[in-house]
Amino acid sequence: MDSIHVRGGRSLSGEISVQGSKNAVLPIMAAAVLVKGVTVLENCPDIADVHCMVRLLQSIGCLVEQAGDSLTIDAGQITSHTLPHEYVSKMRSSIILMGALLGRTGQVSLNYPGGCVIGKRPIDLHLEAFAEMGIRIEQTDERLAAVAHRINGNEIRLRMASVGATENVILASVLAEGTTIIRNAAREPEIAALCDFLIRSGAKLYRSSQGDVIVIEGVRTLHSCEYRIPFDRIVAGTYLFGAMGAGGNICLRDVCADQLGQVLAVIRIMGGNVVCTKDAVCLQALARPLSVPYVRTAVYPGFPTDLQSPLMAALCRADGQSVLEETIFENRLRIVPELKKMGAEITVTGRQAKITGTDCLIGACVRAEELRGGAALVVAGLAAQGETVICGKEFIDRGYEDIRRDIVSLGGSLFYEETEGPSQKGDEAETE
Ligand code: EPZ
């Protein structure tokens, strides 16, 4: 497993442009399968999950070219509807290719994407919605096959505002017969980006002003288009919490502050002074952050679950006691033992973590076992005195294009160490 060395104890200072969004580009790459033509995506992040999705698209017949941050996807010919387990097991979000392949070919088969360290990650909501659209699902212990000679639009009320289930229903509906109405749809900005892309490709799709209702009128075909992937709000939030934990002044360019609402509200409670312009967020942090009495994660526009661990890491150095409650994933407090190796004072009760901040965090050898927990260890390393060595760089590479480039540009000290041989979990980390 390659590792990341972070030298902490110094404040950050600098400015960067934030990469394109992992959680927007993946569903949009899947949506390109619905287009019998060429899709050009700009500002794509160069991350492991995108590489994995490229392999999946190629495995079903798409021609994909990558040039810098631009991806060209020619889905003129789809030659297979079977998703290779090699990639599905590495990236569970490949499940969103179900809706796209069903919409395009009427068939899809794959191994069950397993759970991951943050939770069991069931797909019952996806399958229930597909069944309501006339899609026949055949399940064995390991395999999942879905067939639809015709997909019928329907009114789907999601029991939970699931991001992936919302995406899958949208993708299955775009070329379906009739109209689909999704109620209790997820409202994350990545859903809005997917809808924007599909409308640009010729889909007939409308979102309510709140975003919780989405209406899709099936069309016969989509056409080629170009689309620019929006910024990654979780990467932006990670670096903001990095500056809150270590202190300093940073500016993030090419971001939309409106999508960071709850994150900026928490940063202000921690004593951060935030100045937003049309496409930038600048932060002046205190030398040591203030604590936050209580934060709970929630679906958008609530505080994002993906930033719960990075926030926790910054609060480990706060002056006072904070309480975090994780309501989305049942196992997303796993980073606590690693933070405690650095001197953090945290007690976990159920889904609640109580953090008593200390100004004596110390660098240590710690291990990442999933993407955002790994990013949180970088945040903690910046806030700690001395050097922190983080094993499991491949988990962080799934979602962060080059965390060394970004942190060094923001005035931090960080370097990579390559270790011989493949990582314990194969050559790339298993992904959520
Ligand atoms: C997406 O995952 C993101 N991944 C996650 O980001 C993010 O944490 C999550 O949304 C919540 O915002 C991508 O977009 C690729 P969900 P997804 O379906 O779609 C339960 C990261 O770090 N659920 O909204 O899998 C589920 O178990 C990743 O970038 C069911 O019970 O999230 C979870 O508790 C991690 N049944 C909750 O809903 C279902 O059929 C939210 O899951 C589906 C979900």
Side-chain angles (χ1 to χ4, degrees):
M1 278 190 160
D2 292 348
S3 56
I4 295 179
H5 293 244
V6 184
R7 289 202 190 99
R10 54 196 272 184
S11 61
L12 299 188
S13 170
E15 178 176 318
I16 61 164
S17 172
V18 174
Q19 71 180 60
S21 164
K22 166 177 89 77
N23 293 349
V25 73
L26 292 176
I28 290 172
M29 288 172 75
V33 170
L34 294 167
V35 179
K36 264 189 192 163
V38 176
T39 295
V40 179
L41 302 178
E42 307 290 351
N43 195 38
C44 298
D46 185 17
I47 55 177
D49 275 12
V50 166
H51 306 154
C52 190
M53 185 59 91
V54 167
R55 299 283 182 280
L56 277 162
L57 294 180
Q58 290 170 332
S59 71
I60 58 173
C62 295
L63 304 175
V64 186
E65 279 179 26
Q66 200 160 357
D69 72 2
S70 167
L71 263 183
T72 301
I73 302 167
D74 181 346
Q77 294 296 321
I78 297 299
T79 56
S80 168
H81 54 261
T82 299
L83 296 174
H85 186 52
E86 174 191 357
Y87 300 117
V88 173
S89 61
K90 277 188 181 300
M91 186 178 69
R92 61 172 312 288
S93 54
S94 37
I95 188 83
I96 48 178
L97 276 169
M98 282 191 79
L101 268 173
L102 282 166
R104 176 72 186 270
T105 70
Q107 277 190 300
V108 63
S109 72
L110 67 157
N111 277 50
Y112 259 100
C116 66
V117 293
I118 65 173
K120 288 193 295 294
R121 314 292 294 272
I123 58 170
D124 51 333
L125 299 175
H126 302 239
L127 302 183
E128 283 167 20
F130 285 154
E132 290 178 55
M133 300 172 77
I135 296 166
R136 187 161 46 84
I137 312 278
E138 291 152 10
Q139 305 179 59
T140 62
D141 289 351
E142 288 190 348
R143 293 287 293 171
L144 191 58
V147 181
H149 299 301
R150 196 179 80 162
I151 299 178
N152 306 311
N154 200 344
E155 183 158 353
I156 310 284
R157 174 176 291 280
L158 292 175
R159 285 187 284 113
M160 296 167 70
S162 154
V163 170
T166 301
E167 290 166 346
N168 248 336
V169 175
I170 291 172
L171 295 171
S173 306
V174 165
L175 301 177
E177 294 285 331
T179 298
T180 297
I181 301 172
I182 307 173
R183 298 192 186 281
N184 195 29
R187 298 157 57 186
E188 275 68 5
E190 293 75 34
I191 301 283
L194 173 62
C195 293
D196 289 349
F197 165 77
L198 286 167
I199 290 167
R200 185 170 296 196
S201 306
K204 282 192 175 173
L205 197 155
Y206 317 92
R207 283 179 82 231
S208 63
S209 55
Q210 294 295 316
D212 59 332
V213 178
I214 300 175
V215 180
I216 305 111
E217 286 179 31
V219 295
R220 297 197 59 72
T221 59
L222 297 182
H223 55 68
S224 298
C225 83
E226 293 191 15
Y227 188 75
R228 181 174 176 76
I229 301 298
F231 83 105
D232 192 310
R233 61 193 173 95
I234 305 303
V235 168
T238 303
Y239 297 148
L240 290 170
F241 286 125
M244 287 307 294
N249 304 335
I250 66 167
C251 271
L252 303 181
R253 292 194 316 277
D254 305 323
V255 303
C256 169
D258 292 349
Q259 295 184 17
L260 293 165
Q262 283 297 309
V263 174
L264 299 181
V266 167
I267 282 174
R268 290 186 176 105
I269 295 171
M270 295 170 75
N273 177 28
V274 179
V275 175
C276 303
T277 63
K278 187 171 65 63
D279 58 0
V281 168
C282 293
L283 165 66
Q284 185 171 5
L286 297 176
R288 183 184 175 191
L290 304 177
S291 59
V292 180
Y294 178 75
V295 176
R296 73 194 296 267
T297 61
V299 296
Y300 194 86
F303 187 88
T305 174
D306 293 346
L307 284 172
Q308 178 259 106
S309 297
L311 167 59
M312 182 189 290
L315 290 172
C316 287
R317 184 165 169 259
D319 183 4
Q321 188 169 82
S322 308
V323 174
L324 290 186
E325 180 154 16
E326 171 58 51
T327 70
I328 304 292
F329 289 106
E330 67 272 25
N331 221 4
R332 210 169 198 175
L333 297 173
R334 292 176 64 101
I335 199 60
V336 167
E338 297 306 301
L339 293 172
K340 292 172 86 165
K341 288 178 186 171
M342 301 172 70
E345 294 174 33
I346 308 172
T347 51
V348 173
T349 311
R351 290 199 180 188
Q352 248 191 28
K354 194 172 287 181
I355 304 114
T356 304
T358 166
D359 204 9
C360 306
L361 291 177
I362 45 164
C365 284
V366 291
R367 179 174 296 278
E369 51 175 17
E370 43 88 15
L371 168 57
R372 305 304 176 183
L377 292 173
V378 173
V379 170
L382 293 168
Q385 298 298 324
E387 182 170 285
T388 297
V389 182
I390 303 166
C391 295
K393 170 180 174 291
E394 46 275 21
F395 289 103
I396 298 169
D397 291 346
R398 287 194 41 230
Y400 296 79
E401 202 169 56
D402 186 343
I403 202 162
R404 171 182 58 190
R405 172 200 67 197
D406 291 343
I407 293 295
V408 169
S409 299
L410 291 172
S413 173
L414 187 154
F415 64 92
Y416 297 149
E417 180 193 359
E418 290 190 9
T419 48
E420 292 304 311
S423 65
Q424 285 172 0
K425 292 194 167 189
D427 54 2
E428 282 189 319
E430 282 190 9
T431 64
E432 275 86 57

